[in-house]
Amino acid sequence: MRIQCLALHILLLVACNKPNSEPLKKNELHFSEEQLDSIFEVFEGIAYENPASYVNDPDSFFNQLTVSAKSSYQKEMYLYGLIFMGYGLLQHGDNLGSTKYYEKAYNYIKSTPVQIRDINTEIVKPLANLYIQINDTQKSITLLKVTLQKMKNENEIVELSNNLANAYLYNAELDSAKTVLFQAMKYKASSITKALLYNTLASVYEEERNKEKSKFYNNLAVKEFEKTPLKDEAQLWYASALGLKGCLVQDNRLVTRAINLVEKDFPNEQNRFKAKLTLMKGNLLRDKGFYRDALDAYDKTLYYFKPEGKSYVLDYTYTQALLGKAKIHVVMEQLDSALYYYEWAIENDFRTQQLIVSSRDQLRNNILNKETIESIITLIENKPGLSQQKEVVQQLLWCIELSKARLLINEISRSEEWLGASEKTKKGIQTICQLYHQIDTSSDQNEKIKLSKRIQQVMIEFELSEKYFEAIRFEPQKTQFLSHLNKPNSDFYTYFIHNDSSISVIYTSKHDLQFKRISTAEPLVRLMAFKDKYFGSSPNNYNQNPQEYNLEAQYLAEELLPNIEDTQRNIFVSLDGQLYGFPFDALYKNDFLIKTHNFAYLNSFLLFDLLTAKPQKKSAIALMYRSTYPEPLPNLQFVKQEVQNIAKRYAVNKIGPRKQNDIIIREQFATPNVIHIAAHTILDTTTAPVIYLNEPISTNQLRFYEMNAPLVFLSACNTGHGRPLPSEGTESIQRVFLSKNVPSVISTFWFANDETMLNITTSFYKELFENDDPICALAEAKRTFLQSAPPVQQNPWYWANINYTGIGNKIGLKKRSNLPFFTVGVLALLVLALQYPVTLWFYKTFENKDKKANNKTK
């Protein structure tokens, strides 16, 4: 009932409000200052006193507040209402909701002059801790470091240092965590604060597997806590120390004692904290073989989140409890239940990881998630016949694809939200983009360092202002996901590379899913050697012995593409690990596979649900190119011809070096045109990849461009090559365009031969114009090239580096209009037509003058 109090209060004020003689803005109600004071007092009062009335639906409660604060008093009430909502949601276990309202409070105080007693204690600390809870630790680290630089109060420095050490701990930066803690211990601090530092240090040493030092500092923490009467948060810190001690000495009684302490002092609050302790208890019981008791403890963990049925709770404690249950069901040989809980855990983990904006945290979670997939595959293999069951293979495929490309999916979702973002967020994007542009174009290393530091400062404010937690929408559904495997004329292969370099393959065969485990590392080892030998910096190895190439390529085709001879024309491949950058169409089965199949690559089949197939309209081509370069870069001899070939057949917008300024390039990317880039690229292991047009454009800069292209064609070297990212592919130029929701990207895996690129590019656009299908168009262009290429250029080194990544969206091209030529022709005819009477007039005029002159002389 109390959730409606705010709305009722406002309605009563409206009913009592006398009409005002001044005209009101549309949808705006007029209240006196006293009435507004009353509204914001009610909002702040409910937020503080009665969180139970809004914790189940905080947004509905908040959205009832339809008026704006005007006076200083009203702004203060509004700010504290947000803070109290954040705190109330935190106490009731809603980390996501709590983060959202603390972020609202932080953004409000940054944009509005308003009084607050202590921003660090009331907003920064809880917000930084929440980022740790949702595993976005890099965001927490940045926020805390920026705040600490401005602080002078020693006690506050010590407390925030402990928070920063925890963030480093969760970010696996253990040396940094210890440095911060030992530095903080130099300050004078209370027993409780000392205990807090000791217990965090104990956790760091536990993570280092240094059990003795962990026990030592944990014992110090417990002793310090027990010196002083404890209340409120200190009770929780003490319970945390007891729980850690129970884990260190494998004594479940200490964990149970910690749980009872929290239950007693916080009977209706701190559910997430209780869940963490019961998870500890479940893990201890499972390790000791008390499986029934462990299941009860895991059920208690789930209960604290109050889910109904198969619910998703965006919290890793919840995911870990599901995994704990799955592992126990494996031991108890209840395999259906085990698969059920593994799948549920993967689904929940995927949703939770979408909260994270830090790439480092995303990649670390990807590595941990692979362990779960390993466990599922081991379970399926150990039970005879299980890998032949259609539903089981569907479950496995679903889980594998959910484990891939999570950072990429996060980046696509964020990019889409930026399009409709607030002015503050858009201004932040513009500022970051400009700073990266300055870095890309600067040759002064000191200037680059200064600009990088400035970006770090701007980035934290930007990430807070973008309100990403309010905009998470991508929740893939298994049924919808599986329906994509029924694409006409298409079959599918997905790969999972195990820690021992063996490979699991799931593929479609006549619309049925099949599972194959390549049990040894030999195929992957041979693939890497094959890749290095034939697709490096020179085509010579193939030319010396084509037959040797064919035999090895056939072996790899049989291992990696089972049943390829019976598959349909289009092959979609979901890659993993070292398979990125490998040209499957250059494998061999009686001939190169490109002769019979069209290949498309993806980071995960989930991208079918996420990448947007732009509305099919006839598109022009924006041509961005550069052919001449300063030394040591060579000039690109065929670029001008490539541009001419495209421009004489299709509607184009040519953007040569003279037009290539930052504004024009960004405008072109924002149009719905096909983007074709012919230029050098620069790859460096220490900096972001760069497209070298008139000015260099790094992938850092491209990430903040608006893009609406249905296709990007990267006619340059190594645009699909880059630093490996766990379960994500490579940090390549191609990947950045995918992250900007470009549904089709053509890139190169290694050095591009200029002449070959010219031929294939010309044929590609011809085929695309005729059939609107970029997958088929590229494959046909390669086949056309092979039909006419001399024997030396049949070598895959020349043509197999150009590859398609995307979902196969239809793309129409605008044909070049001949109207200008027609107009010129008509004008020429008009000139000729007019020329005759004018000439005749001049001739007759002068003839008459001559006759008159002759008559006079006579």
Side-chain angles (χ1 to χ4, degrees), residues 448-659:
K448 286 175 180 279
I449 292 169
K450 288 179 184 177
L451 289 167
S452 296
K453 288 180 178 178
R454 172 71 180 135
I455 286 172
Q456 289 177 1
Q457 293 170 347
V458 173
M459 195 69 81
I460 184 64
E461 299 297 331
F462 165 70
E463 288 176 353
L464 288 163
S465 72
E466 70 173 314
K467 300 178 182 177
Y468 177 62
F469 298 130
E470 299 183 37
I472 300 168
R473 295 197 182 115
F474 184 54
E475 295 185 349
Q477 302 300 316
K478 185 177 177 182
T479 304
Q480 175 71 12
F481 165 80
L482 292 171
S483 70
H484 292 298
L485 304 186
N486 296 319
K487 270 182 176 287
N489 304 315
S490 302
D491 273 309
F492 302 82
Y493 287 80
T494 189
Y495 301 92
F496 178 82
I497 296 180
H498 295 262
N499 292 330
D500 63 359
S501 294
S502 60
I503 305 174
S504 287
V505 188
I506 298 177
Y507 60 99
T508 53
S509 178
K510 298 176 182 177
H511 295 294
D512 281 336
L513 282 172
Q514 304 290 330
F515 171 79
K516 174 186 176 181
R517 175 67 185 272
I518 302 171
S519 57
T520 72
E522 184 184 357
L524 188 60
V525 171
R526 288 172 68 171
L527 178 141
M528 295 304 295
F530 183 82
K531 194 173 175 183
D532 290 341
K533 184 174 183 178
Y534 294 110
F535 306 131
S537 58
S538 167
N540 292 339
N541 285 327
Y542 175 91
N543 296 335
Q544 291 169 4
N545 193 340
Q547 185 60 29
E548 182 182 39
Y549 174 99
N550 294 344
L551 288 172
E552 191 66 2
Q554 183 159 327
Y555 162 79
L556 291 172
E558 289 168 354
E559 291 289 342
L560 296 173
L561 296 167
N563 205 40
I564 186 65
E565 60 276 2
D566 294 329
T567 57
Q568 301 185 71
R569 186 77 162 172
N570 293 331
I571 304 291
F572 286 91
V573 180
S574 173
L575 299 162
D576 191 27
Q578 298 94 317
L579 297 178
Y580 278 93
F582 184 79
F584 281 70
D585 59 358
L587 293 178
Y588 203 84
K589 196 84 172 179
N590 301 320
D591 205 338
F592 295 125
L593 293 185
I594 189 60
K595 299 288 187 70
T596 53
H597 291 87
N598 311 324
F599 282 85
Y601 302 103
L602 282 166
N603 303 62
S604 167
F605 291 148
L606 288 180
L607 296 183
F608 284 123
D609 281 320
L610 187 61
L611 288 175
T612 306
K614 317 291 182 184
Q616 191 186 354
K617 297 177 181 178
K618 297 291 184 182
S619 298
I621 303 171
L623 285 169
M624 302 182 197
Y625 60 93
R626 180 175 178 177
S627 59
T628 59
Y629 285 89
E631 292 183 352
L633 292 174
N635 292 334
L636 299 175
Q637 299 176 13
F638 289 87
V639 161
K640 289 183 179 178
Q641 186 63 50
E642 185 176 320
V643 170
Q644 289 174 12
N645 287 355
I646 297 170
K648 71 183 180 184
R649 294 179 176 88
Y650 314 104
V652 302
N653 185 5
K654 291 200 289 186
I655 303 108
R658 290 183 181 178
K659 292 183 180 179

Side-chain angles (χ1 to χ4, degrees), residues 56 271 301-308 311 313 318:
N56 291 326
N271 284 345
T301 302
L302 300 177
Y303 163 79
Y304 281 125
F305 294 95
K306 296 183 169 52
E308 295 179 6
S311 302
V313 177
Y318 192 82

